[in-house]
Amino acid sequence: GFDHDPFDLEPMPNPVKFSSELAYYDGLLGRPSVWAYSTFGLSSKFNVTEDLALVPGVYYQITFDDEILRDGKDENVLYAMVSMKYAF
């Protein structure tokens, strides 16, 4: 399990990062101008080398308006992603 004292000021080795995004769709190709979606996510970073890191994450996207989707269905999506970050 997760065993971390919230009052311990020593940083966690791999902290979890919360992210969010709110997107406005500006009517490209004749589509309506609307607030399109919001995405919320949790990710962490694992150093592979000094300059290279593996970054897994889990995200949830809430679609606000079904008119911007090509198939016309309102969909909320849960997805996972793994990326690599290189510092130079």
Side-chain angles (χ1 to χ4, degrees), residues 2-87:
F2 182 73
D3 184 25
H4 184 74
D5 180 4
F7 299 105
D8 182 9
L9 298 178
E10 184 176 324
M12 295 174 59
N14 298 93
V16 175
K17 175 183 167 187
F18 175 76
S19 62
S20 64
E21 174 184 358
L22 180 62
Y24 184 78
Y25 189 82
D26 196 20
L28 182 65
L29 302 174
R31 304 263 179 168
S33 296
V34 294
W35 286 105
Y37 63 87
S38 182
T39 304
F40 303 94
L42 294 173
S43 64
S44 190
K45 182 173 86 169
F46 299 92
N47 292 327
V48 177
T49 66
E50 187 176 314
D51 298 328
L52 184 66
L54 178 72
V55 184
V58 177
Y59 303 90
Y60 186 70
Q61 179 174 305
I62 301 167
T63 304
F64 298 139
D65 195 319
D66 59 357
E67 291 183 36
I68 63 165
L69 300 171
R70 295 202 183 280
D71 60 7
K73 295 189 311 185
D74 185 24
E75 294 185 11
N76 297 331
V77 180
L78 176 67
Y79 62 97
M81 184 168 46
V82 177
S83 62
M84 299 290 287
K85 288 189 177 183
Y86 181 73

